[in-house]
Amino acid sequence: MKQIVTSALYLFTLFVVSKYVFDPANLYYELKWLDIPMHIMGGFGVASLTSAILSYRGIRISFTKLLIAYTVVALLWEVYEYVQDLSSYQDWNGWIDTVADYINGLVGTLVAYLLLRK
């Protein structure tokens, strides 16, 4: 249970820093590279939380399960980013940015899998 709470707090902290520190300061537009580590850390967090939940429930962890969980969360996150970009900036970063974000998060998911597998 401790791993679930820790992973959830990690993801919540990433969201809060992104929404209430980076966004208001327009850091994602000032520092184009900032998006990369945030998506890697997000992918890591989603995989960690998924892994913790699966372990707690006694379900074997596999990369496929982590990949499915990450893909669902990444899809929801990219829709959130799309709506936020259109409502705040009347612009969208495009498909290349979306695919790059997914790949960066996938890197974080893979790292988490390699570190957390048993």
Side-chain angles (χ1 to χ4, degrees):
M1 182 62 96
K2 179 181 174 183
Q3 290 83 3
I4 294 173
V5 172
T6 303
S7 296
L9 284 174
Y10 171 81
L11 281 172
F12 178 73
T13 301
L14 280 180
F15 177 77
V16 168
V17 168
S18 178
K19 180 74 175 163
Y20 298 105
V21 177
F22 294 167
D23 278 347
N26 285 321
L27 288 179
Y28 289 116
Y29 292 94
E30 297 292 326
L31 307 169
K32 295 287 187 187
W33 56 266
L34 184 59
D35 198 38
I36 296 169
M38 288 300 287
H39 278 89
I40 292 171
M41 291 187 295
F44 183 89
V46 169
S48 296
L49 180 58
T50 303
S51 177
I53 292 169
L54 292 175
S55 292
Y56 182 76
R57 298 190 73 195
I59 300 170
R60 186 175 174 274
I61 299 166
S62 70
F63 183 71
T64 302
K65 291 172 187 165
L66 299 183
L67 179 62
I68 290 168
Y70 167 69
T71 299
V72 169
V73 172
L75 176 65
L76 294 172
W77 183 259
E78 290 303 320
V79 169
Y80 166 78
E81 277 190 348
Y82 175 75
V83 170
Q84 183 182 12
D85 285 350
L86 289 182
S87 65
S88 299
Y89 306 106
Q90 287 76 42
D91 191 18
W92 177 49
N93 288 329
W95 286 108
I96 293 173
D97 179 68
T98 300
V99 172
D101 290 348
Y102 179 81
I103 292 169
N104 289 325
L106 188 58
V107 168
T109 301
L110 180 59
V111 169
Y113 172 73
L114 294 173
L115 291 175
L116 300 172
R117 67 183 173 172
K118 296 178 182 181

